[in-house]
Amino acid sequence: MKARTGLTAAICFGVLTIVASGSWLNRVQGQQAPPGTGFAAIPGLKGGQDIFGPYDVVRNWPKPMSDSLPNHEKFTWSTTMDVFAESPNRVFLVQKGELARIDKRPETKWIPEFGPGLVYPVFRLPLRQAGAGAGSNPLDPPADGRPGVDWRWEHCIVVVDAEGKIIEDWTQWDKLFTRPHDVEISPYDPEKNVWVVDAEGHAVYKFSNDGKKLLLTLGTPRQRGDDDTHFNRPTFLVFMDANTMYLADGYDGTRVIKYDMNGKKLMQWGQKGTPPNEKRPGYFNSVHGIAVDPTTRRVFVNDRTNGRVQVFDENGKYLDEWNFGPRPPMDIHSFIVTSDRHLWAADQGTHKILGYDLNGNFLYSWGSWGEYPGGMWGVHGMSTDQEGNFYVAEVNNGRIQKYRPRPGANPAFLVGKPWKGVW
């Protein structure tokens, strides 16, 4: 009798467990997102993949230089260092002169003299590394190649419109530069003056918006140093507000310098670290990138060789840090903080655009390697415009590219628009 009662109880318990489990499973399944959501840039998309993330690449943008400029049938874009969109119809780029065009891909040939199984060019891979072929200012030591044939030191700053056609060229300043590295306009400046950081020239220049006047020079051009009047290969500039900006100094320097907008030095911080695994706060190796969050007044510094971002308050007090993954392959060229209050980093090691919240939590990434439209190689500078278009400057492919948001794309995966200012 006891055995029968126990068996009955066990059966009842089992039935109740199954019923309860089914009810719980139904609730869980009811909470699950529909197929195709989650990390998909376009929720519910059937087929395809996020090769370009939440964007479509705008092909044939910018137009060939020969479409806009005379005597450019044999020349094209060079090592494009940075891009800045003042508006969708006025986009600045800085580059290391021009490169000779290669209009026909050479026939693949075996090159056993360099090793077994080697061919050039390799199928589907980029044909040349633009940085290796680009020249330099003729006033400096000569570069590889033939000046005037393989490269020309012309059109270091150009402006293109929404269709990708050159509408301005600032050739009057070509001889001023050695390696124009960064171009910026403060969103808080009603005059929209243009700032250019010249890395190898050890200087920062401020121009009028139309490029006709040189208004200010910081540093001592073509002289390196680490005092109040010299830089050591500076890299990027960023604006906190209408009266404050920060300069990353730099490739060989190991400091961040805070200025007012008249170029008066307010303070600096940073010391030389021991690469590649320096852990001490405030120690840098290759200060290659800087960004700010004006809502919290935090400063984000790309401590590139040590593979981390260090976060400071506006006066250089260390607050936080995170890394970008194992190095190699990771190698963050630069990053920006946009109005979505996310940090977007360009990784030339993985050829991806990486998104983080400002506490360092990884959100999303996209990108692939190649010279085809939308492929990336060496993204060095980034910008967005008021319509949400995304621009990249690639030092290795030697071009800038424009990406347009895909219809229906998840807004959380889009690089944020510029910070709102006075223009």
Side-chain angles (χ1 to χ4, degrees), residues 82-307:
D82 195 28
V83 57
F84 181 85
E86 176 186 319
S87 73
N89 207 39
R90 194 165 189 252
V91 182
F92 287 79
L93 72 89
V94 291
Q95 62 177 349
K96 292 180 64 178
E98 306 169 353
L99 281 177
R101 289 178 57 160
I102 301 177
D103 293 322
K104 184 179 180 180
R105 191 175 181 90
E107 180 183 352
T108 296
K109 294 183 179 180
W110 293 95
I111 46 176
E113 61 270 26
F114 294 109
L118 296 183
V119 297
Y120 177 82
V122 179
F123 179 59
R124 289 182 178 166
L125 299 189
L127 188 58
R128 71 174 170 192
Q129 202 265 11
S136 61
N137 190 312
L139 298 176
D140 293 298
D144 292 337
R146 299 162 293 174
V149 178
D150 298 318
W151 59 270
R152 299 193 300 199
W153 193 256
E154 299 179 13
H155 297 97
C156 292
I157 302 178
V158 299
V159 184
V160 297
D161 64 15
E163 302 304 316
K165 190 169 184 177
I166 296 174
I167 55 175
E168 300 173 42
D169 59 81
W170 292 19
T171 52
Q172 68 271 29
W173 305 113
D174 285 343
K175 293 183 179 179
L176 186 69
F177 300 113
T178 301
R179 187 188 179 195
H181 193 272
D182 177 35
V183 57
E184 305 287 344
I185 298 176
S186 168
Y188 315 107
D189 178 8
E191 302 297 323
K192 297 191 284 188
N193 294 303
V194 180
W195 297 77
V196 178
V197 179
D198 188 7
E200 306 305 321
H202 315 292
V204 178
Y205 301 103
K206 176 185 177 182
F207 300 94
S208 58
N209 184 261
D210 59 9
K212 294 181 178 180
K213 296 179 181 180
L214 174 60
L215 303 175
L216 179 67
T217 299
L218 300 180
T220 304
R222 302 177 187 277
Q223 294 183 19
R224 70 169 66 207
D226 59 2
D227 55 29
D228 289 352
T229 59
H230 292 82
F231 302 132
N232 203 348
R233 303 178 69 205
T235 56
F236 289 91
L237 184 70
V238 70
F239 307 96
M240 179 70 81
D241 55 34
N243 300 306
T244 313
M245 62 184 181
Y246 296 86
L247 177 67
D249 181 33
Y251 277 110
D252 294 335
T254 55
R255 60 180 175 166
V256 173
I257 309 174
K258 182 179 181 180
Y259 291 96
D260 69 16
M261 295 304 293
N262 294 317
K264 178 183 178 181
K265 181 179 176 181
L266 303 176
M267 64 170 298
Q268 71 175 46
W269 72 88
Q271 299 183 65
K272 185 176 182 179
T274 303
N277 296 305
E278 177 62 67
K279 301 296 184 184
R280 292 173 292 179
Y283 286 74
F284 303 124
N285 297 102
S286 186
V287 193
H288 194 272
I290 189 165
V292 297
D293 175 13
T295 63
T296 60
R297 304 189 71 81
R298 287 185 292 172
V299 181
F300 299 78
V301 181
N302 181 19
D303 186 11
R304 178 179 173 182
T305 304
N306 295 314

Side-chain angles (χ1 to χ4, degrees), residues 52-68:
F52 312 132
Y55 296 95
D56 289 322
V57 62
V58 180
R59 293 175 177 268
N60 197 32
W61 194 100
K63 306 293 185 184
M65 297 183 76
S66 58
D67 283 10
S68 306

Side-chain angles (χ1 to χ4, degrees), residues 33-45 49-50 53-54 355 361-366 406 410 412-413:
T37 55
F39 248 36
I42 300 179
L45 183 68
Q49 55 177 302
D50 287 353
N361 297 302
F362 176 66
L363 303 175
Y364 184 63
S365 69
W366 60 274
R406 294 164 67 186
N410 185 339
F413 293 168

Side-chain angles (χ1 to χ4, degrees), residues 351-373:
H351 316 288
K352 291 182 179 296
I353 305 299
L354 313 175
Y356 300 84
D357 69 20
L358 296 187
N359 293 317
N361 297 302
F362 176 66
L363 303 175
Y364 184 63
S365 69
W366 60 274
S368 62
W369 185 37
E371 63 181 356
Y372 53 84

